[in-house]
Amino acid sequence: MAHAQYIFGFHAITSRLRQHPDSIREIYLDASRKDQRARDLINMAETASTRLILCEPDRLDKITGTTRHQGVAAHVTKLHQYTTLDDLLDGLTEPALLLVLDGIKDPHNLGACLRVADAFGAHAVVVPKDRAVGLSATVHKVASGAADTVPFFAVTNLARTLRELKEMNIWIVGTAADAPDTLDSVTLKRPIAWVLGAEGEGMRRLTRETCDQLVRIPMAGSIESLNVSVSAGICLFETFRQHSKS
């Protein structure tokens, strides 16, 4: 049987309803919500023949483990779009673009990274299984549907995975504040895997040593670093821009 979980928030649930309605077992909606957003969700659930349960906010609090659920949650079946990263890469007809996150622990950062990965055409997000956040309900909410559109792989050994990607002729580019090259000076028209490190810690030593190239984002302000999702968005956009001009 497929693994079941809960997601919450209107964006995450309406996106799942549009793209994978069969994966939703039931939706729980705060009975006191009578606004247009709630009515639209009810109509979508009826159209998809998805069971909808009106309930009290306390029940939603218990289901989701938070009070920040926006008055809606869904019991869903986890999606399995690809069995392995190899399967995904074998099916590509364009240069691969991957986002590799080394030890991201904040679910809000992971959710935001999934959003920018979706926006700029990344084919997958790759993370280590240990010492990193997974696809929690909070990640789904922040991702606003991107957790369902961007394939997500949690790998046992990140450095080994990066070495295997190199064997597939994918260029491994890491971000580092002390890198000799700047983002605007490098060519990114080949298959690329961007590697970004954890909040405040950066990439682990072995991850950094596995990269083919290190680059830094040129900045004109007084701050020394950017949020990981902001950095991911900048790097992915520049890659998307260069690919679009090829």
Side-chain angles (χ1 to χ4, degrees):
M1 179 180 294
H3 177 66
Q5 61 183 12
Y6 287 95
I7 62 175
F8 58 85
F10 279 93
H11 277 303
I13 292 171
T14 55
S15 174
R16 180 68 73 98
L17 268 172
R18 290 191 190 99
Q19 300 177 54
H20 306 284
D22 293 343
S23 71
I24 300 180
R25 296 186 176 184
E26 58 260 336
I27 296 173
Y28 297 84
L29 179 66
D30 183 343
S32 67
R33 290 208 56 152
K34 308 294 183 182
D35 55 280
Q36 187 61 49
R37 207 173 192 186
R39 291 196 295 270
D40 290 344
L41 179 65
I42 291 171
N43 290 334
M44 288 182 67
E46 290 177 349
T47 300
S49 299
T50 301
R51 184 186 181 200
L52 189 139
I53 302 169
L54 298 178
C55 63
E56 296 301 316
D58 288 351
R59 186 173 184 186
L60 287 166
D61 294 349
K62 292 177 181 178
I63 286 173
T64 63
T66 180
T67 59
R68 303 178 64 183
H69 43 64
Q70 299 180 327
V72 63
H75 189 197
V76 300
T77 299
K78 186 176 180 181
L79 299 175
H80 294 282
Q81 295 173 305
Y82 296 93
T83 303
T84 66
L85 183 56
D86 286 349
D87 290 339
L88 181 145
L89 295 171
D90 286 344
L92 293 182
T93 57
E94 58 190 357
L97 177 55
L98 306 176
L99 177 60
V100 181
L101 303 172
D102 186 17
I104 303 300
K105 298 176 182 177
D106 185 338
H108 294 87
N109 278 339
L110 178 56
C113 284
L114 284 163
R115 289 187 72 173
V116 298
D118 176 88
F120 299 121
H123 297 109
V125 170
V126 182
V127 303
K129 280 185 178 178
D130 297 328
R131 296 185 294 278
V133 67
L135 288 182
S136 66
T138 298
V139 171
H140 275 270
K141 179 176 182 292
V142 175
S144 297
D148 292 335
T149 60
V150 180
F152 181 86
F153 297 95
V155 299
T156 303
N157 188 314
L158 187 61
R160 182 173 62 205
T161 297
L162 292 176
R163 290 193 294 270
E164 291 170 351
L165 292 175
K166 292 169 76 166
E167 292 173 358
M168 300 177 195
N169 295 317
I170 295 175
W171 192 247
I172 311 299
V173 185
T175 58
D178 60 346
D181 298 319
T182 58
L183 178 62
D184 57 329
S185 69
V186 297
T187 300
L188 302 168
K189 294 183 179 180
R190 64 182 84 185
I192 294 283
W194 277 105
V195 186
L196 282 77
E199 307 89 354
E201 302 172 9
M203 291 180 289
R204 289 174 291 176
R205 179 187 58 80
L206 186 56
T207 304
R208 179 178 173 129
E209 291 175 353
T210 308
C211 292
D212 293 305
Q213 185 175 15
L214 296 176
V215 302
R216 56 186 166 85
I217 298 171
M219 296 189 292
S222 58
I223 61 170
E224 296 182 354
S225 64
L226 297 170
N227 174 277
V228 64
S229 63
V230 174
S231 297
I234 293 170
C235 295
L236 291 175
F237 170 75
E238 177 59 19
T239 311
F240 172 80
R241 186 189 69 81
Q242 291 192 27
H243 282 186
S244 299
K245 293 177 67 175
S246 8

